[in-house]
Amino acid sequence: MASAAGVSISTASKALNDTGRMGAETRERVKRIAGEIGYRPNALARGLLSKRSFTIGLLTNDTYGRFTLPVMAGISDALVDHGVSVFLCAIEDDPALAQTHVDAMLDKQVDGIIATGKRLDRRLPVDLSNLHVPVVYAFTEGTQNSVTFRSDDEQGAKLAVEWLAKIGRRRIAHITGPEEFFSVRERAGAYHQVAGHREPVLYGVWSESWGHEAVEQLWKRPGEKPDGLFCGNDQIARGAVDALRERGIEVPQDVSVIGFDNWEIVAAQTRPPLTTVDMELKELGRQAGLTVLALAEGRFVEPGVRKLPCRLIVRQSCGGEAPGK
Amino acid sequence: MASAAGVSISTASKALNDTGRMGAETRERVKRIAGEIGYRPNALARGLLSKRSFTIGLLTNDTYGRFTLPVMAGISDALVDHGVSVFLCAIEDDPALAQTHVDAMLDKQVDGIIATGKRLDRRLPVDLSNLHVPVVYAFTEGTQNSVTFRSDDEQGAKLAVEWLAKIGRRRIAHITGPEEFFSVRERAGAYHQVAGHREPVLYGVWSESWGHEAVEQLWKRPGEKPDGLFCGNDQIARGAVDALRERGIEVPQDVSVIGFDNWEIVAAQTRPPLTTVDMELKELGRQAGLTVLALAEGRFVEPGVRKLPCRLIVRQSCGGEAPGK
DNA sequence: TTGGATTGAGAAAAGCTTTTACCAAGTCCA
DNA sequence: TGGACTTGGTAAAAGCTTTTCTCAATCCAA
């Protein structure tokens, strides 16, 4: 204990926290000694008193981490300066496991919980609406009157289609995932709005093989072929690029392809590397982190859904701009 | 407080913890009331007293999470039943950030720390050797006298090469990553041992494009071509498969290809899906979790490096077995 | 009936920090 | 010189559990 080395016990606390009255010399001496003996206050004891544990929980059902990791990185990035640490709880889609983790977090007096997932229109398999700690939702469906952060898929899709139009593509097709996904419908809506209805939307699944197959379908149809493909995610885009190459069609010379997600491992390794839409999940995480912190500190935050803009990442699969960016 | 609802205060504690002496009827009543009002003991107060926070920290420099997520899943899986939650701290390769996170964890009285990374032969940019909490290393280089878990890359590589041999491949080449990686040398060593020196080892980088280029190199050389490719990771394998297809060489009919890592997103999406070696990182995480828990509880654990066996995942890129497995 | 053993439950301490109340000594001004 | 401040610091309470001690009542045997 620092007090042993210094002089008293409550004085030590005041010295280290720059609070209370005392001689400047005493304060300095206590601080110095504390530094020398490497004294660190026990956060448990502090938390017991202050009702703040400087700990939050991140709950996710995105086992693979495609979406969770960037969100986590953003949260951590925003909160580490505030001394807040993050419990990561991966609950598959198991309600019992989820409840176990939530209970464990509540026992540990987390200051708040961030719920995240892999789909904007699905709830986590656990009810977080009546907890006595603040909850914010990031990239997953929230409850009434909650604060929810999500990507603006409509704006992101517009970005993509407008980019294709800007570089001169006129017959733009849209190959995407299952129609029951909210993101799919929203992106398709934006596609229709910007590109008109000249080409159909091909709904399928989120896989490379679907991208591959969709290209086969498109090119087997009679009539003019598309000169631009807006794909619902990078995996589909990659499958499409592969299918085009197998048909001897050059990307981006003959056809421009654009993806969605900016999943580096797919987008950057495709030949040519994919131009794609980034949902800025890290920024999303950052804002979610700051928000849950604000709520934990009792500050008021307007409930509602906040849509964060996407960003276009230009690589080489569209042409139209110097590859060197 | 449960005591208000029940009868006393210390009696309540004893009732809920099944400790101390008291009438069975009283114990039952306290438990019932506690359940009714949803009483949950404050883990901070408990931890303050017991010196156990039921919290551990997971430190990683694997930003992308390729290796960390399975390890984390294993840890969490093993420890959730013990009521232990996990702080995830992603420290890029930034020593200052790492120290910040370690300090935050120590302040919060973690029961132990697991260090993990993306490379067996690299240390995290922070010294964990003289902490007063137990540290175990998983999939990263540990310190003297520490407990370290790692995959047995030699055994995994043997598994792969022996499998190729078993299905009749005789001219097996090895395309792999940079020679300065310990894993690369160990896998190459096993390759030499099993396959002999009939084919060279091609060292390169961990990318699809290297796999692609390596195949070009191999097939441009005069003389007999390989009929089996053992690739250092799944990305290289995927690049190789793509290159073979472009040359009109059938996989697995003409050439068998085997990868390493079982990175689902790459291995399962390759056409044909990759037979590959899984390092069982989840199991590795599980053991690391149980070990740090044992150390936290004061049980003795023999220091040293523990190598966990890899497992062969048979898909379709080798042939030799019914694809339906 | 009485002394020792047993039983049921409450009182108190400990764990570590922060905060509030308090005290002794010095300072100031009328 | 004596009341009103100011200064520098300590004592104590609070926050929530668990554990050890203590105490009163009951019970059994002699």
Side-chain angles (χ1 to χ4, degrees):
Chain A
M1 167 98 73
S3 52
V7 276
S8 79
I9 179 170
S10 53
T11 307
S13 173
K14 291 192 293 189
L16 297 177
N17 295 334
D18 280 326
T19 160
R21 295 177 317 200
M22 72 179 47
E25 185 268 344
T26 309
R27 194 180 294 275
E28 211 43 57
R29 180 162 42 89
V30 173
K31 281 186 179 177
R32 181 172 49 75
I33 301 214
E36 282 171 9
I37 66 172
Y39 168 77
R40 330 207 85 239
N42 182 325
L44 265 46
R46 171 183 279 155
L48 190 56
L49 194 55
S50 67
K51 308 286 197 177
R52 290 282 317 276
S53 64
F54 290 91
T55 281
I56 71 161
L58 179 61
L59 209 60
T60 178
N61 66 349
D62 171 29
T63 320
Y64 195 69
R66 160 71 191 91
F67 303 109
T68 295
L69 273 173
V71 171
M72 165 82 196
I75 295 172
S76 190
D77 196 57
L79 298 188
V80 70
D81 296 328
H82 299 265
V84 175
S85 304
V86 182
F87 287 124
L88 178 58
C89 303
I91 57 169
E92 331 273 309
D93 276 299
D94 179 344
L97 182 62
Q99 193 60 55
T100 303
H101 271 123
V102 170
D103 288 347
M105 294 193 302
L106 293 177
D107 286 355
K108 286 170 182 120
Q109 310 291 116
V110 289
D111 294 335
I113 293 179
I114 298 178
T116 187
K118 53 194 169 188
R119 229 181 122 161
L120 291 177
D121 52 353
R122 278 288 183 277
R123 288 224 157 81
L124 258 41
V126 59
D127 181 21
L128 304 172
S129 56
N130 285 312
L131 269 36
H132 60 280
V133 299
V135 177
V136 341
Y137 298 84
F139 209 79
T140 192
E141 173 99 30
T143 54
Q144 205 68 27
N145 291 326
S146 65
V147 183
T148 304
F149 290 91
R150 47 159 290 209
S151 51
D152 189 344
D153 289 51
E154 186 180 0
Q155 172 265 349
K158 278 187 186 164
L159 227 47
V161 184
E162 282 167 358
W163 177 255
L164 288 172
K166 179 176 161 226
I167 60 180
R169 300 310 184 176
R170 291 293 166 261
R171 296 180 308 284
I172 302 169
H174 184 32
I175 308 172
T176 186
E179 195 169 4
E180 62 264 29
F181 276 64
F182 173 76
S183 296
V184 166
R185 296 195 300 277
E186 195 155 83
R187 293 172 196 173
Y191 160 76
H192 277 132
Q193 207 178 314
V194 176
H197 287 265
R198 278 160 289 189
E199 296 288 340
V201 173
L202 286 84
Y203 298 100
V205 296
W206 295 120
S207 74
E208 286 190 34
S209 58
W210 161 239
H212 202 276
E213 185 195 323
V215 164
E216 299 296 318
Q217 288 183 18
L218 282 172
W219 261 258
K220 269 190 202 135
R221 296 187 320 184
E224 273 193 319
K225 308 308 177 205
D227 59 1
L229 295 179
F230 168 39
C231 297
N233 76 356
D234 290 339
Q235 289 177 268
I236 291 174
R238 167 146 203 187
V241 168
D242 285 352
L244 290 171
R245 182 171 37 244
E246 285 172 27
R247 292 190 154 260
I249 298 165
E250 299 266 358
V251 175
Q253 290 81 354
D254 302 329
V255 175
S256 289
V257 176
I258 196 164
F260 210 105
D261 281 358
N262 191 29
W263 196 359
E264 294 267 349
I265 192 59
V266 176
Q269 295 269 332
T270 303
R271 292 172 310 139
L274 290 175
T275 290
T276 186
V277 177
D278 189 305
M279 292 186 287
E280 302 272 37
L281 293 174
K282 189 167 178 183
E283 176 60 23
L284 201 151
R286 205 186 319 262
Q287 296 204 20
L290 291 174
T291 302
V292 81
L293 187 66
L295 288 167
E297 288 170 352
R299 301 207 294 277
F300 174 75
V301 176
E302 188 77 40
V305 177
R306 289 169 175 54
K307 287 192 277 191
L308 268 59
C310 302
R311 187 163 54 104
L312 190 72
I313 306 293
V314 177
R315 294 201 183 87
Q316 284 117 62
S317 68
C318 284
E321 175 152 309
K325 176 146 199 214
Chain B
M1 168 98 70
S3 53
V7 274
S8 78
I9 177 170
S10 54
T11 307
S13 172
K14 292 190 291 190
L16 297 176
N17 294 333
D18 280 326
T19 160
R21 296 176 316 199
M22 73 179 45
E25 186 268 345
T26 309
R27 194 180 294 274
E28 211 43 57
R29 180 163 43 89
V30 172
K31 280 185 178 176
R32 180 172 49 75
I33 300 212
E36 281 170 11
I37 66 172
Y39 168 77
R40 329 208 85 239
N42 183 325
L44 264 46
R46 171 183 279 154
L48 191 56
L49 194 56
S50 68
K51 307 288 197 177
R52 290 283 317 276
S53 64
F54 290 91
T55 281
I56 71 160
L58 179 60
L59 209 61
T60 177
N61 66 348
D62 171 29
T63 320
Y64 195 68
R66 160 69 191 94
F67 303 108
T68 295
L69 272 172
V71 171
M72 165 82 196
I75 295 171
S76 190
D77 197 57
L79 298 187
V80 70
D81 297 329
H82 299 266
V84 175
S85 304
V86 181
F87 287 123
L88 179 57
C89 303
I91 57 169
E92 330 272 308
D93 277 299
D94 178 343
L97 181 62
Q99 193 61 54
T100 303
H101 271 124
V102 170
D103 287 348
M105 294 194 302
L106 293 177
D107 285 355
K108 285 168 183 125
Q109 311 290 118
V110 290
D111 294 335
I113 293 179
I114 299 177
T116 186
K118 53 192 169 189
R119 229 181 122 162
L120 291 177
D121 52 353
R122 279 286 184 276
R123 287 224 157 80
L124 258 40
V126 59
D127 180 21
L128 304 172
S129 56
N130 285 313
L131 268 37
H132 60 279
V133 299
V135 177
V136 340
Y137 298 84
F139 208 79
T140 191
E141 174 98 28
T143 54
Q144 204 68 26
N145 290 327
S146 64
V147 183
T148 304
F149 291 91
R150 48 159 289 208
S151 51
D152 189 344
D153 289 52
E154 186 180 0
Q155 171 265 351
K158 277 187 187 164
L159 226 47
V161 183
E162 281 167 358
W163 178 255
L164 288 171
K166 178 176 160 229
I167 61 180
R169 300 309 185 177
R170 291 291 166 265
R171 296 181 308 283
I172 302 169
H174 184 32
I175 308 172
T176 187
E179 196 168 4
E180 62 263 28
F181 276 63
F182 173 77
S183 296
V184 166
R185 296 195 300 277
E186 194 154 84
R187 294 171 195 172
Y191 161 76
H192 277 132
Q193 207 177 316
V194 177
H197 287 265
R198 276 161 291 190
E199 297 287 340
V201 173
L202 287 84
Y203 298 101
V205 296
W206 294 120
S207 73
E208 286 189 34
S209 58
W210 161 239
H212 202 276
E213 184 195 324
V215 165
E216 300 296 317
Q217 288 184 17
L218 282 173
W219 261 258
K220 269 191 203 134
R221 296 187 319 183
E224 274 193 319
K225 309 306 177 205
D227 59 359
L229 295 179
F230 169 39
C231 298
N233 76 356
D234 290 339
Q235 289 178 267
I236 292 174
R238 167 147 203 188
V241 168
D242 285 351
L244 290 171
R245 183 173 34 245
E246 285 171 28
R247 292 191 154 257
I249 299 165
E250 300 265 359
V251 175
Q253 290 81 354
D254 302 329
V255 175
S256 290
V257 177
I258 196 163
F260 210 106
D261 280 359
N262 191 30
W263 195 0
E264 293 267 349
I265 193 59
V266 176
Q269 296 268 334
T270 302
R271 291 172 313 141
L274 291 175
T275 290
T276 185
V277 177
D278 189 305
M279 291 186 287
E280 302 273 35
L281 293 174
K282 188 167 178 184
E283 176 59 24
L284 200 150
R286 205 184 320 262
Q287 296 204 21
L290 292 174
T291 303
V292 81
L293 188 65
L295 288 167
E297 288 170 352
R299 301 206 294 276
F300 174 75
V301 177
E302 187 77 41
V305 176
R306 289 169 177 51
K307 287 192 276 192
L308 269 59
C310 301
R311 188 163 55 105
L312 190 72
I313 306 292
V314 177
R315 295 201 183 86
Q316 285 116 60
S317 68
C318 283
E321 175 152 308
K325 176 143 202 222

